[in-house]
């Protein structure tokens, strides 16, 4: 089980335990600070408001954690921007090699140096750089891919696993969920995030975009050092978080 999968599973477990536990603590604190009799209706309303606050806070925490935990790109490791030209990348790698060569830092730095060297080789190849920006380092393992079309096909096939699993999950929610509104909003969120993913893959090169091209520019202004595949990873996490949050919020806020 890789780290990303482990974080998603941990988040799902957290969603099943933390909101109720934190809500009970906050309600107890409110009763202690503001002791006053409440009717059953007022108590239920107070619970829903506190619960909504807890869920939104935990959702925000998950978003920030997912944003910060995206693995660094080759550009970030070299200390250049995604718009850097070949000469800038070459100079950055030479500077990195002088600081981090295994002969200088020891055998412990070999794995990092090899990974960055592999990334440098990919960024110096225009076709591989195009593929890497959109699908990440895994797409570079395709030994039969020669053109952008080859890498595009391989990358799209590789991404199907997430979408197939998400579609099956949505169907299960549709079949067994008692909250039709929840299922409806899950489908809306999935459609929006899937559209965002493919907009990143097929969109204009980041350096050529203007602020008026599309709403996805907000990602590039928030984290300008990142490339499309990193934004896509965040969108996948966001879909999981929002789906679980909906299953926790709707039954409480709309009983």
């Amino acid at each position: 089980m890789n780290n990303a999968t482990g974080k998603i599973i941990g988040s799902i477990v957290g969603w099943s335990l933390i909101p109720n536990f934190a809500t009970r603590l906050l309600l107890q604190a409110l009763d202690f600070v503001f002791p006053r009799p409440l009717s059953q209706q007022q108590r239920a309303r107070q619970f829903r408001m506190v619960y909504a606050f807890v869920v939104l806070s935990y959702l925000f925490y998950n978003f920030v954690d997912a944003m910060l935990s995206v693995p660094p790109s080759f550009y970030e490791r070299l200390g250049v921007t995604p718009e850097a030209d070949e000469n800038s990348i070459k100079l950055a790698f030479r500077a990195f090699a002088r600081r981090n060569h295994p002969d200088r830092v020891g055998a412990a730095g070999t794995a990092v140096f090899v990974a960055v060297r592999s990334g440098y080789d990919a960024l110096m190849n225009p076709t591989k750089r195009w593929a890497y920006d959109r699908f990440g380092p895994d797409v570079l393992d395709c030994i039969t891919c020669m053109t952008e079309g080859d890498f595009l096909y391989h990358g799209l096939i590789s991404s199907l696993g997430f979408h197939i699993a998400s579609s099956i999950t949505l169907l299960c929610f549709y079949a067994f969920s008692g909250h039709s509104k929840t299922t409806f909003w899950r489908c809306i969120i999935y459609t929006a995030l899937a559209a965002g993913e493919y907009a990143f893959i097929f969109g204009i090169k980041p350096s050529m975009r203007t602020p008026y091209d599309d709403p996805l520019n907000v990602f590039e202004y928030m984290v300008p050092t990142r490339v499309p595949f990193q934004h896509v990873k965040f969108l996948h996490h966001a879909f999981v978080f929002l789906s679980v949050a909906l299953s926790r919020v709707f039954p409480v806020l709309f009983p």
Side-chain angles (χ1 to χ4, degrees):
M1 181 174 63
N2 59 35
N3 185 54
T5 304
K7 288 184 72 65
I8 289 176
I9 293 175
S11 177
I12 292 174
V13 173
W15 276 110
S16 66
L17 300 175
I18 291 176
N20 287 331
F21 177 73
T23 299
R24 287 197 298 270
L25 288 181
L26 283 177
L27 288 174
Q28 291 173 5
L30 286 174
D31 289 339
F32 179 79
V33 176
F34 305 105
R36 58 193 180 95
L38 295 175
S39 66
Q40 185 175 0
Q41 184 178 5
Q42 290 174 323
R43 179 67 66 179
R45 183 176 182 276
Q46 183 188 55
F47 175 82
R48 289 198 298 271
M49 293 301 101
V50 173
Y51 187 85
F53 171 78
V54 169
V55 168
L56 290 175
S57 300
Y58 190 53
L59 182 62
F60 178 76
Y61 162 78
N62 275 275
F63 278 144
V64 173
D65 182 62
M67 182 70 76
L68 296 178
S69 63
V70 172
S73 68
F74 294 151
Y75 300 99
E76 291 172 305
R77 287 186 171 184
L78 288 173
V80 298
T81 66
E83 294 81 22
D85 58 21
E86 290 186 2
N87 186 57
S88 299
I89 294 173
K90 187 180 298 184
L91 293 175
F93 178 72
R94 288 176 180 173
F96 174 86
R98 285 195 297 270
R99 297 191 306 268
N100 300 279
H101 196 280
D103 292 343
R104 181 180 179 86
V105 301
T110 301
V112 173
F113 182 82
V114 170
V116 175
R117 176 56 192 261
S118 175
Y120 166 74
D121 291 339
L123 297 183
M124 294 302 289
N125 182 313
T127 301
K128 290 185 177 181
R129 181 176 179 177
W130 181 91
Y132 169 77
D133 285 355
R134 287 156 176 78
F135 299 106
D138 293 341
V139 76
L140 302 177
D141 295 334
C142 178
I143 59 176
T144 60
C145 296
M146 303 298 293
T147 66
E148 289 183 0
D150 294 336
F151 281 111
L152 179 63
Y153 176 80
H154 179 79
L156 290 175
I157 292 298
S158 299
S159 69
L160 281 179
F162 173 82
H163 294 286
I164 291 174
S166 299
S167 299
I168 292 174
T169 301
L170 288 174
L171 288 174
C172 291
F173 277 122
Y174 178 77
F176 301 109
S177 175
H179 289 268
S180 58
K181 289 183 179 180
T182 308
T183 304
F184 169 77
W185 281 109
R186 280 197 188 96
C187 292
I188 293 296
I189 292 170
Y190 171 74
T191 302
L193 296 182
E197 174 177 348
Y198 288 105
F200 277 124
I201 293 173
F202 293 102
I204 305 171
K205 182 179 178 182
S207 61
M208 297 172 61
R209 286 183 173 175
T210 70
Y212 307 101
D213 282 327
D214 58 63
L216 296 176
N217 277 337
V218 66
F219 286 90
E220 292 164 9
Y221 287 114
M222 289 174 60
V223 277
T225 60
R226 293 186 175 177
V227 286
F229 87 87
Q230 293 174 299
H231 298 317
V232 169
K233 284 184 178 295
F234 172 74
L235 290 177
H236 287 181
H237 284 287
F239 171 68
V240 175
F241 300 152
L242 289 172
S243 294
V244 179
L246 281 174
S247 68
R248 304 294 295 171
V249 171
F250 264 85
V252 174
L253 294 185
F254 308 102

